[in-house]
Amino acid sequence: MKFHTHTLEITTRGKGLYPFTRDVAKWISSTGVQTGLVTLFIQHTSASLVIQENADPDVVLDLTDFFEHLVLENDPRYRHTTEGPDDMPSHIRSALTQTHLSIPFFEGRMALGTWQGIYLFEHRRSAQRRSVVAQIIG
C-alpha cells in the first residue's frame, strides 16, 4: 500500500466553476501508482468541489446562474456579512455542494465518465487562491 499527498493551488477570477481534472491526472501519473483512490479536499468554506459535465460550457454557466438564484446575496436575514454581501451566500452554497471528492483510478487513469470533469466551484465574487489537498491510497 502506498500513500501520496500533494496540495494543488487553484487561482480563481471570481464566481464560477474552474476545471482542474488535468492537474489531478498529471499528479496521479507522477506518483507512478496505477490503481487506487484519489481523495480531494478543499481547505476553504466559501468554495467547493464538484464533478460535472465537461463537454458543453453552458452546463457550468447554468449551474452558476442557478446558485445565484437559489442563494441570494444581500438577504436581510444573514447575520454573517463580515466580508461583504457574498460572504454568507458563499458559505451556504458550499454547504449545499461538497468539500471533498473520492475518485477511483485504474491503470493510472481516473474512472471518470466520458463527459465528467473535476471542478472547483468558486462562490466568492473576487479572485481567490484556493488550496485542494489531494491524497492517493493505492
Side-chain angles (χ1 to χ4, degrees), residues 3 6 9 13 17 23 28 31 34 43 49 53 56 59 68 79 86-87 90-91 93 104 118 124 126 128-129 132-133:
F3 297 89
H6 177 65
E9 299 292 334
R13 298 173 307 283
L17 284 93
D23 298 324
I28 290 171
T31 68
Q34 291 298 301
Q43 296 182 299
L49 301 175
E53 180 178 327
D56 185 348
V59 172
E68 285 296 310
R79 289 180 285 274
D86 67 337
D87 194 3
S90 68
H91 294 298
R93 292 173 183 150
I118 304 167
R124 299 303 304 262
S126 61
Q128 304 289 325
R129 186 163 175 84
V132 176
V133 175

Short mmCIF file of all heavy atoms in Angstrom, two decimals, residues 3 6 9 13 17 23 28 31 34 43 49 53 56 59 68 79 86-87 90-91 93 104 118 124 126 128-129 132-133:
data_model
loop_
_atom_site.label_atom_id
_atom_site.label_comp_id
_atom_site.label_asym_id
_atom_site.label_seq_id
_atom_site.Cartn_x
_atom_site.Cartn_y
_atom_site.Cartn_z
N PHE A 3 0.96 5.64 -0.08
CA PHE A 3 0.23 6.87 0.19
C PHE A 3 1.02 8.04 -0.38
O PHE A 3 2.24 8.09 -0.22
CB PHE A 3 0.06 7.09 1.70
CG PHE A 3 -0.76 6.04 2.37
CD1 PHE A 3 -0.16 4.89 2.87
CD2 PHE A 3 -2.12 6.18 2.52
CE1 PHE A 3 -0.90 3.91 3.50
CE2 PHE A 3 -2.88 5.20 3.14
CZ PHE A 3 -2.28 4.07 3.63
N HIS A 6 -0.44 15.69 -1.81
CA HIS A 6 0.01 16.86 -2.57
C HIS A 6 -1.05 17.95 -2.42
O HIS A 6 -2.23 17.65 -2.26
CB HIS A 6 0.16 16.46 -4.05
CG HIS A 6 0.55 17.56 -4.96
ND1 HIS A 6 1.76 18.20 -4.87
CD2 HIS A 6 -0.11 18.14 -5.99
CE1 HIS A 6 1.83 19.12 -5.83
NE2 HIS A 6 0.71 19.10 -6.52
N GLU A 9 -2.80 24.18 -5.98
CA GLU A 9 -3.19 25.58 -5.81
C GLU A 9 -3.97 26.00 -7.05
O GLU A 9 -3.47 25.85 -8.17
CB GLU A 9 -1.97 26.47 -5.62
CG GLU A 9 -1.15 26.14 -4.39
CD GLU A 9 -1.85 26.43 -3.08
OE1 GLU A 9 -2.72 27.32 -3.05
OE2 GLU A 9 -1.52 25.76 -2.08
N ARG A 13 -11.01 33.64 -10.65
CA ARG A 13 -11.22 35.03 -11.05
C ARG A 13 -12.59 35.52 -10.58
O ARG A 13 -13.14 36.46 -11.14
CB ARG A 13 -11.11 35.17 -12.57
CG ARG A 13 -9.75 34.80 -13.12
CD ARG A 13 -9.69 34.77 -14.64
NE ARG A 13 -10.70 33.95 -15.28
CZ ARG A 13 -10.68 32.61 -15.35
NH1 ARG A 13 -9.70 31.93 -14.81
NH2 ARG A 13 -11.65 31.96 -15.96
N LEU A 17 -17.18 27.94 -12.10
CA LEU A 17 -16.57 26.62 -11.99
C LEU A 17 -15.25 26.61 -12.76
O LEU A 17 -15.19 27.05 -13.91
CB LEU A 17 -17.51 25.54 -12.54
CG LEU A 17 -18.66 25.21 -11.59
CD1 LEU A 17 -19.88 26.04 -11.93
CD2 LEU A 17 -18.99 23.75 -11.64
N ASP A 23 -4.92 18.68 -13.91
CA ASP A 23 -3.94 18.83 -12.84
C ASP A 23 -3.92 17.58 -11.96
O ASP A 23 -2.85 17.12 -11.56
CB ASP A 23 -4.26 20.05 -11.97
CG ASP A 23 -4.21 21.35 -12.75
OD1 ASP A 23 -3.36 21.47 -13.65
OD2 ASP A 23 -5.03 22.23 -12.47
N ILE A 28 -1.47 12.31 -10.42
CA ILE A 28 -1.60 10.85 -10.25
C ILE A 28 -0.51 10.15 -11.07
O ILE A 28 0.18 9.26 -10.58
CB ILE A 28 -3.00 10.35 -10.67
CG1 ILE A 28 -4.05 10.82 -9.66
CG2 ILE A 28 -3.03 8.82 -10.78
CD1 ILE A 28 -5.48 10.57 -10.09
N THR A 31 3.01 10.04 -9.61
CA THR A 31 3.27 9.18 -8.45
C THR A 31 3.66 7.77 -8.86
O THR A 31 4.24 7.04 -8.05
CB THR A 31 2.03 9.08 -7.53
OG1 THR A 31 0.99 8.36 -8.19
CG2 THR A 31 1.56 10.45 -7.08
N GLN A 34 -0.64 2.89 -10.07
CA GLN A 34 -1.50 2.52 -11.19
C GLN A 34 -2.96 2.29 -10.79
O GLN A 34 -3.87 2.50 -11.59
CB GLN A 34 -0.97 1.26 -11.87
CG GLN A 34 0.33 1.49 -12.61
CD GLN A 34 0.16 2.50 -13.73
OE1 GLN A 34 -0.63 2.30 -14.63
NE2 GLN A 34 0.88 3.60 -13.65
N GLN A 43 -9.70 23.26 1.23
CA GLN A 43 -9.45 23.82 2.55
C GLN A 43 -10.09 25.19 2.75
O GLN A 43 -9.49 26.09 3.32
CB GLN A 43 -7.94 23.92 2.80
CG GLN A 43 -7.24 22.59 2.82
CD GLN A 43 -5.77 22.74 3.12
OE1 GLN A 43 -5.04 23.39 2.37
NE2 GLN A 43 -5.34 22.15 4.22
N LEU A 49 -16.14 21.60 -4.25
CA LEU A 49 -15.68 20.73 -5.33
C LEU A 49 -16.88 20.01 -5.93
O LEU A 49 -17.77 19.58 -5.19
CB LEU A 49 -14.69 19.70 -4.80
CG LEU A 49 -13.43 20.24 -4.13
CD1 LEU A 49 -12.61 19.10 -3.55
CD2 LEU A 49 -12.61 21.05 -5.12
N GLU A 53 -20.37 17.84 -15.94
CA GLU A 53 -20.14 17.69 -17.38
C GLU A 53 -19.06 18.66 -17.84
O GLU A 53 -19.06 19.83 -17.46
CB GLU A 53 -21.43 17.95 -18.16
CG GLU A 53 -21.22 17.79 -19.64
CD GLU A 53 -22.49 17.98 -20.46
OE1 GLU A 53 -23.58 17.64 -19.99
OE2 GLU A 53 -22.36 18.48 -21.59
N ASP A 56 -20.14 20.57 -22.61
CA ASP A 56 -20.90 21.75 -23.00
C ASP A 56 -20.69 22.85 -21.96
O ASP A 56 -21.11 22.71 -20.81
CB ASP A 56 -22.39 21.40 -23.10
CG ASP A 56 -23.24 22.56 -23.61
OD1 ASP A 56 -22.74 23.70 -23.68
OD2 ASP A 56 -24.42 22.31 -23.93
N VAL A 59 -23.38 24.11 -19.34
CA VAL A 59 -23.69 23.42 -18.08
C VAL A 59 -23.12 24.19 -16.90
O VAL A 59 -23.83 24.46 -15.93
CB VAL A 59 -23.18 21.96 -18.10
CG1 VAL A 59 -23.33 21.32 -16.73
CG2 VAL A 59 -23.92 21.15 -19.15
N GLU A 68 -26.95 31.37 -8.12
CA GLU A 68 -27.19 32.80 -7.90
C GLU A 68 -28.65 33.04 -7.51
O GLU A 68 -28.95 33.89 -6.68
CB GLU A 68 -26.86 33.61 -9.16
CG GLU A 68 -25.39 33.78 -9.41
CD GLU A 68 -24.71 34.58 -8.32
OE1 GLU A 68 -25.18 35.68 -7.95
OE2 GLU A 68 -23.69 34.10 -7.80
N ARG A 79 -26.82 37.22 9.22
CA ARG A 79 -26.10 37.92 10.28
C ARG A 79 -24.62 38.03 9.93
O ARG A 79 -23.96 39.00 10.26
CB ARG A 79 -26.28 37.19 11.61
CG ARG A 79 -27.68 37.30 12.18
CD ARG A 79 -27.79 36.56 13.50
NE ARG A 79 -27.84 35.12 13.31
CZ ARG A 79 -28.96 34.43 13.05
NH1 ARG A 79 -30.11 35.04 12.96
NH2 ARG A 79 -28.92 33.12 12.89
N ASP A 86 -21.41 38.85 -0.38
CA ASP A 86 -21.28 37.48 -0.90
C ASP A 86 -20.73 36.52 0.15
O ASP A 86 -20.55 35.33 -0.12
CB ASP A 86 -20.41 37.45 -2.15
CG ASP A 86 -18.95 37.80 -1.88
OD1 ASP A 86 -18.67 38.47 -0.87
OD2 ASP A 86 -18.09 37.42 -2.70
N ASP A 87 -20.48 37.01 1.36
CA ASP A 87 -19.86 36.20 2.42
C ASP A 87 -20.75 35.03 2.84
O ASP A 87 -20.40 33.87 2.64
CB ASP A 87 -19.51 37.09 3.61
CG ASP A 87 -18.57 36.43 4.60
OD1 ASP A 87 -18.12 35.30 4.35
OD2 ASP A 87 -18.26 37.06 5.62
N SER A 90 -21.84 32.54 0.07
CA SER A 90 -20.79 31.61 -0.35
C SER A 90 -20.69 30.42 0.60
O SER A 90 -20.45 29.29 0.17
CB SER A 90 -19.45 32.32 -0.48
OG SER A 90 -18.96 32.73 0.78
N HIS A 91 -20.91 30.66 1.90
CA HIS A 91 -20.90 29.56 2.86
C HIS A 91 -22.09 28.63 2.64
O HIS A 91 -21.95 27.40 2.72
CB HIS A 91 -20.91 30.10 4.29
CG HIS A 91 -19.67 30.84 4.67
ND1 HIS A 91 -18.42 30.26 4.69
CD2 HIS A 91 -19.49 32.13 5.03
CE1 HIS A 91 -17.53 31.16 5.05
NE2 HIS A 91 -18.15 32.30 5.26
N ARG A 93 -23.74 28.14 -0.22
CA ARG A 93 -23.50 27.40 -1.47
C ARG A 93 -22.51 26.26 -1.27
O ARG A 93 -22.68 25.18 -1.81
CB ARG A 93 -23.02 28.36 -2.56
CG ARG A 93 -24.10 29.33 -2.98
CD ARG A 93 -23.58 30.38 -3.93
NE ARG A 93 -24.64 31.31 -4.24
CZ ARG A 93 -24.45 32.58 -4.53
NH1 ARG A 93 -23.22 33.06 -4.58
NH2 ARG A 93 -25.47 33.37 -4.79
N PRO A 104 -11.93 6.69 -7.85
CA PRO A 104 -11.04 5.55 -8.07
C PRO A 104 -10.25 5.74 -9.38
O PRO A 104 -10.70 6.45 -10.28
CB PRO A 104 -11.99 4.36 -8.18
CG PRO A 104 -13.30 4.94 -8.55
CD PRO A 104 -13.33 6.35 -8.04
N ILE A 118 -13.56 17.40 -13.12
CA ILE A 118 -13.46 17.85 -11.74
C ILE A 118 -13.35 19.38 -11.76
O ILE A 118 -12.53 19.94 -12.49
CB ILE A 118 -12.23 17.25 -11.05
CG1 ILE A 118 -12.25 15.72 -11.14
CG2 ILE A 118 -12.15 17.71 -9.60
CD1 ILE A 118 -10.92 15.08 -10.77
N ARG A 124 -17.19 33.06 -4.24
CA ARG A 124 -16.91 34.46 -3.92
C ARG A 124 -16.77 35.27 -5.21
O ARG A 124 -16.37 34.76 -6.25
CB ARG A 124 -15.62 34.60 -3.10
CG ARG A 124 -15.60 33.89 -1.75
CD ARG A 124 -16.71 34.30 -0.80
NE ARG A 124 -16.80 35.69 -0.50
CZ ARG A 124 -16.30 36.26 0.59
NH1 ARG A 124 -15.63 35.56 1.47
NH2 ARG A 124 -16.46 37.55 0.81
N SER A 126 -14.72 37.91 -5.76
CA SER A 126 -13.36 38.34 -6.08
C SER A 126 -12.43 37.15 -6.35
O SER A 126 -12.74 36.01 -6.00
CB SER A 126 -12.80 39.18 -4.92
OG SER A 126 -12.76 38.41 -3.74
N GLN A 128 -9.54 34.54 -5.97
CA GLN A 128 -9.07 33.83 -4.77
C GLN A 128 -7.96 32.86 -5.18
O GLN A 128 -7.88 32.44 -6.32
CB GLN A 128 -10.21 33.01 -4.14
CG GLN A 128 -11.44 33.79 -3.78
CD GLN A 128 -11.24 34.72 -2.60
OE1 GLN A 128 -10.50 34.40 -1.66
NE2 GLN A 128 -11.87 35.88 -2.64
N ARG A 129 -7.17 32.48 -4.21
CA ARG A 129 -6.18 31.40 -4.39
C ARG A 129 -6.62 30.29 -3.46
O ARG A 129 -6.60 30.45 -2.24
CB ARG A 129 -4.78 31.88 -4.06
CG ARG A 129 -3.72 30.86 -4.37
CD ARG A 129 -2.34 31.53 -4.44
NE ARG A 129 -1.30 30.57 -4.62
CZ ARG A 129 -0.92 30.08 -5.79
NH1 ARG A 129 -1.55 30.48 -6.88
NH2 ARG A 129 0.05 29.20 -5.88
N VAL A 132 -6.35 22.79 -2.59
CA VAL A 132 -7.04 21.49 -2.60
C VAL A 132 -6.00 20.43 -2.25
O VAL A 132 -5.02 20.26 -2.97
CB VAL A 132 -7.68 21.20 -3.97
CG1 VAL A 132 -8.31 19.81 -3.98
CG2 VAL A 132 -8.71 22.26 -4.33
N VAL A 133 -6.22 19.75 -1.15
CA VAL A 133 -5.32 18.68 -0.73
C VAL A 133 -5.74 17.41 -1.47
O VAL A 133 -6.91 17.03 -1.47
CB VAL A 133 -5.36 18.45 0.79
CG1 VAL A 133 -4.50 17.25 1.18
CG2 VAL A 133 -4.91 19.70 1.52
#
